[in-house]
Amino acid sequence: MPSLPMVRGHRRGQSLGAFKKEASVSKFNIEDILAFDKPPSTPSPSSQPSPLATISGDDIDSANHPMKKPSIGSAGESNAPILEKPPKSSPQKPPLSKPKSQDPLPSNQKQQPFSPTNSGVTTAGPNHPLICNGFNDQEIITANQKLLNAIANADFAAYKEICSPDLTAFEPESNGNLVHGLKFHKYYFDLFGKPAKPVNVTISSPHVRWIGNDGNAAVISYVRLDQVVADGGPVTRTMSETRVWQKEDGKWINVHFHKS
């Protein structure tokens, strides 16, 4: 009897029938046998369940946990509050301040009406500044009016006090010649004497220009209006004059004039 070949799992001396019976009882699975030869596999991190997956969404406080998903309503709309972005704050512009009203001039700088025997009437007007570069134009206008009143009243003593001893002048009486001193002018004071009727002298449209920065010299130009009584009725005589004033020892003195 020929010898049987050795089969895996067959023991020597075991009959083939016993082997088959034992093999049918054990029912080895080849995949199970191969599984014993493989090393145990480690699950990948992606296949591991997340710890949060076991937590119900209703158990998470949305105010304290950022992972809670907003609930969806029946219409498919989210019930979560919509956070609006705060509006960008634009820099506020300061309110426009109303211009301050200009303070009126002090009473001593306002133009006052003058009487024929004291002062004349000035007509500087609102467009003519009375204060320029810190100097008061009214000082020159007042001194000039005092001089004209002395002429109208034929008061040579007052005229001499206001004018410089070396006064220079161009006037119609000089026939285009420049005259010096006060003697030429005194002749007319003595000739006519004091007027029988009152004379009113008005400075119209005065313009003052200051010379230098110390406020000690100025030029005034104006139209002189003399209201007199002639031929039984009032008459207004008009002349254009320019006078140069200089302050000496704190007093304004007329040093030159031009009359036409």
Side-chain angles (χ1 to χ4, degrees):
M1 181 177 181
S3 61
L4 296 172
M6 293 297 294
V7 182
R8 184 177 179 181
H10 179 260
R11 295 187 295 276
R12 185 177 295 276
Q14 185 182 19
S15 63
L16 183 58
F19 171 75
K20 290 181 177 180
K21 184 178 180 180
E22 183 178 351
S24 62
V25 174
S26 61
K27 298 181 180 181
F28 286 106
N29 190 343
I30 187 63
E31 294 181 358
D32 295 336
I33 297 173
L34 295 176
F36 285 104
D37 297 336
K38 294 181 179 180
S41 60
T42 304
S44 61
S46 61
S47 62
Q48 294 181 357
S50 173
L52 295 177
T54 60
I55 303 175
S56 172
D58 297 335
D59 297 335
I60 303 176
D61 185 4
S62 60
N64 299 325
H65 201 287
M67 297 300 292
K68 181 178 179 179
K69 297 182 179 180
S71 60
I72 306 299
S74 59
E77 299 179 353
S78 175
N79 296 328
I82 300 175
L83 299 179
E84 297 182 357
K85 294 182 179 180
K88 295 182 179 180
S89 59
S90 58
Q92 296 182 354
K93 296 182 180 180
L96 296 177
S97 58
K98 295 182 179 180
K100 296 181 179 180
S101 59
Q102 187 175 2
D103 295 334
L105 291 172
S107 57
N108 60 346
Q109 296 181 7
K110 293 182 179 179
Q111 300 181 50
Q112 303 292 341
F114 300 92
S115 64
T117 58
N118 188 17
S119 303
V121 179
T122 62
T123 56
N127 296 327
H128 178 74
L130 293 179
I131 298 179
C132 180
N133 298 329
F135 308 135
N136 191 354
D137 292 357
Q138 189 63 45
E139 294 182 18
I140 305 300
I141 297 174
T142 301
N144 199 91
Q145 186 66 57
K146 184 178 180 181
L147 173 66
L148 297 181
N149 289 341
I151 297 173
N153 295 316
D155 188 353
F156 183 75
Y159 181 84
K160 181 179 180 181
E161 184 180 353
I162 303 172
C163 294
S164 173
D166 57 351
L167 173 70
T168 57
F170 284 106
E171 56 181 341
E173 292 82 356
S174 67
N175 295 325
N177 295 292
L178 179 66
V179 294
H180 295 261
L182 300 178
K183 185 177 180 180
F184 179 86
H185 307 290
K186 186 178 183 300
Y187 171 82
Y188 295 99
F189 278 87
D190 297 338
L191 178 64
F192 296 105
K194 293 185 180 296
K197 298 291 184 179
V199 178
N200 185 53
V201 182
T202 300
I203 297 175
S204 177
S205 304
H207 179 269
V208 178
R209 180 176 296 275
W210 294 86
I211 302 174
N213 297 324
D214 54 2
N216 289 327
V219 178
I220 181 172
S221 301
Y222 55 94
V223 176
R224 172 180 166 182
L225 304 177
D226 288 355
Q227 295 171 277
V228 298
V229 177
D231 300 331
V235 177
T236 300
R237 299 170 181 171
T238 302
M239 288 166 282
S240 298
E241 292 188 352
T242 297
R243 292 184 181 269
V244 180
W245 291 86
Q246 183 176 353
K247 183 178 286 188
E248 298 178 359
D249 299 329
K251 180 181 178 181
W252 287 107
I253 300 297
N254 183 210
V255 296
H256 176 79
F257 74 91
H258 190 137
K259 180 174 67 174
S260 60

